[in-house]
């Protein structure tokens, strides 16, 4: 018989919320209706304590595949900072729904305060490292609105690898002009995350970025139905998509 340590035990409603089963209110309803079983036994109390890693939990007969870590897709709004805490500004952690908040959460990579779009928030350091390390060549795509037209020279300069004024060398990047944009909107693909990288790359070509949105990391795209400022939990497939097609 397995002996569960007391500190491994968590409230059933909290476990289910952390796995994306629903909001706290929704999972409490499910529990009350007798739709949740722990080790084959119907549990009707939200404060029932279970060991999430070693119990078999089902909801409406479907197994909950417990993951110790949490992975959140946020459609980051402008005006919040990519930090865990800040004395002046709201952070991306501050704007998460209460049910997703937990110890150890951090944004996996930074978007500038005025940049919008796909940001992953997690408590899994290894995952974040794997996603962010330039060595792993996980591509990040941005839509950049510009104050001037993109020219063939700009595209070439991105392809060759921009060198900042201080000598910092960027890896080769892809720049595509978006159709119907008067040549003033482009999709930039980079594999690294230097400070203000996209803005500085354009600036080296004499162009200012007036709006920036990240749309993908690897093959995981920002959910077009996710309103700005909202978030959702990543599925196992979503997580895999980040690394699919990554040849390194
Ligand atoms: N590059 C930038 O310049 N800003 C961001 O927020 C992300 C990439």
């Amino acid at each position: 018989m397995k002996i569960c340590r007391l500190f491994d035990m968590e409230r059933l409603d909290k476990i289910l919320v952390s796995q994306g089963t629903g909001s706290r209110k929704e999972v409490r309803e499910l529990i009350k209706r007798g739709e949740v079983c722990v080790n084959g036994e119907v549990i009707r109390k939200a404060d029932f304590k279970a060991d999430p890693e070693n119990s078999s939990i089902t909801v409406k007969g479907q197994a909950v595949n417990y993951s110790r870590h949490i992975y959140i897709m946020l459609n980051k709004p402008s005006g919040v900072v990519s930090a865990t805490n800040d004395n002046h500004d709201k952070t991306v952690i501050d704007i998460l729904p209460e049910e997703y908040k937990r110890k150890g959460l951090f944004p996996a990579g930074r978007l500038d305060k005025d940049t919008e779009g796909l940001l992953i928030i997690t408590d899994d350091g290894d995952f974040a490292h794997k996603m962010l390390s330039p060595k792993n060549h996980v591509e990040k795509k941005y839509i950049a609105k510009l104050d001037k037209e993109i020219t063939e020279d700009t595209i070439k300069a991105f392809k060759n690898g921009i060198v900042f004024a201080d000598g910092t060398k960027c890896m080769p990047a892809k720049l595509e002009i978006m159709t119907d944009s008067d040549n003033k909107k482009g999709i930039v693909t980079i594999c690294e995350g230097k400070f203000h990288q996209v803005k500085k790359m354009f600036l080296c070509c004499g162009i200012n970025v007036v709006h920036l949105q990240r749309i993908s990391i690897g093959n995981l795209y920002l959910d077009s139905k996710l309103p700005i400022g909202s978030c959702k939990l990543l599925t196992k497939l979503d997580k895999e998509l980040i690394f699919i097609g990554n040849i390194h």
Side-chain angles (χ1 to χ4, degrees):
M1 192 178 84
K2 181 161 178 16
I3 300 169
C4 297
R5 289 170 298 179
L6 221 58
F7 54 81
D8 290 333
M9 309 291 273
E10 275 187 43
R11 287 176 60 112
L12 186 54
D13 56 353
K14 197 168 165 220
I15 296 170
L16 292 175
V17 170
S18 78
Q19 301 307 300
T21 303
S23 66
R24 195 168 295 181
K25 191 167 165 228
E26 286 162 348
V27 303
R28 283 184 185 163
E29 260 316 298
L30 285 168
I31 295 169
K32 225 197 227 160
R33 286 205 303 266
E35 306 208 80
V36 179
C37 292
V38 177
N39 297 328
E41 195 185 323
V42 174
I43 303 294
R44 290 177 188 272
K45 285 192 160 171
D47 64 357
F48 178 87
K49 293 279 180 61
D51 171 1
E53 295 198 69
N54 295 296
S55 308
S56 144
I57 302 177
T58 58
V59 175
K60 296 182 181 171
Q62 296 282 323
V64 173
N65 293 316
Y66 180 78
S67 166
R68 192 154 59 91
H69 292 295
I70 190 167
Y71 308 87
I72 301 164
M73 172 189 287
L74 172 69
N75 187 352
K76 180 192 171 297
S78 175
V80 297
V81 292
S82 300
T84 46
N85 49 57
D86 192 276
N87 289 337
H88 301 289
D89 293 303
K90 259 198 181 150
T91 72
V92 291
I93 306 294
D94 293 333
I95 65 168
L96 295 179
E98 282 309 311
E99 60 256 36
Y100 292 163
K101 288 189 186 169
R102 53 160 83 182
K103 244 187 10 223
L105 275 186
F106 63 93
R110 281 167 189 264
L111 292 178
D112 297 338
K113 187 173 167 185
D114 61 352
T115 301
E116 296 183 337
L118 176 59
L119 185 71
I120 297 195
I121 296 171
T122 185
D123 56 354
D124 184 345
D126 291 340
F127 175 86
H129 178 74
K130 189 173 164 204
M131 188 177 92
L132 297 172
S133 169
K135 270 198 321 229
N136 290 327
H137 290 257
V138 175
E139 292 184 343
K140 286 98 188 167
K141 277 193 190 339
Y142 296 83
I143 294 182
K145 259 193 214 163
L146 310 162
D147 70 343
K148 289 186 200 71
E149 290 187 21
I150 300 168
T151 64
E152 279 307 313
D153 282 348
T154 327
I155 294 171
K156 248 188 236 156
F158 274 48
K159 195 173 167 190
N160 291 337
I162 298 275
V163 183
F164 295 152
D166 65 359
T168 306
K169 276 187 101 170
C170 298
M171 290 162 77
K174 191 163 158 194
L175 172 58
E176 297 156 284
I177 298 175
M178 291 178 77
T179 48
D180 301 329
S181 72
D182 297 329
N183 295 344
K184 287 186 172 174
K185 225 168 152 187
I187 298 182
V188 181
T189 308
I190 55 176
C191 292
E192 48 188 351
K194 298 189 196 304
F195 191 52
H196 299 322
Q197 180 161 349
V198 174
K199 291 174 188 162
K200 282 163 84 176
M201 283 166 62
F202 276 109
L203 210 53
C204 284
C205 303
I207 300 174
N208 289 299
V209 172
V210 294
H211 184 261
L212 192 61
Q213 181 199 27
R214 181 156 65 192
I215 53 165
S216 67
I217 301 177
N219 278 298
L220 176 69
Y221 279 75
L222 178 66
D223 183 340
S224 58
K225 293 193 208 80
L226 195 63
I228 295 178
S230 298
C231 63
K232 67 172 201 180
L233 293 184
L234 295 189
T235 62
K236 193 165 170 275
L237 177 64
D238 289 335
K239 278 194 288 159
E240 284 168 5
L241 281 171
I242 292 175
F243 302 104
I244 284 177
N246 161 28
I247 49 169
H248 293 265

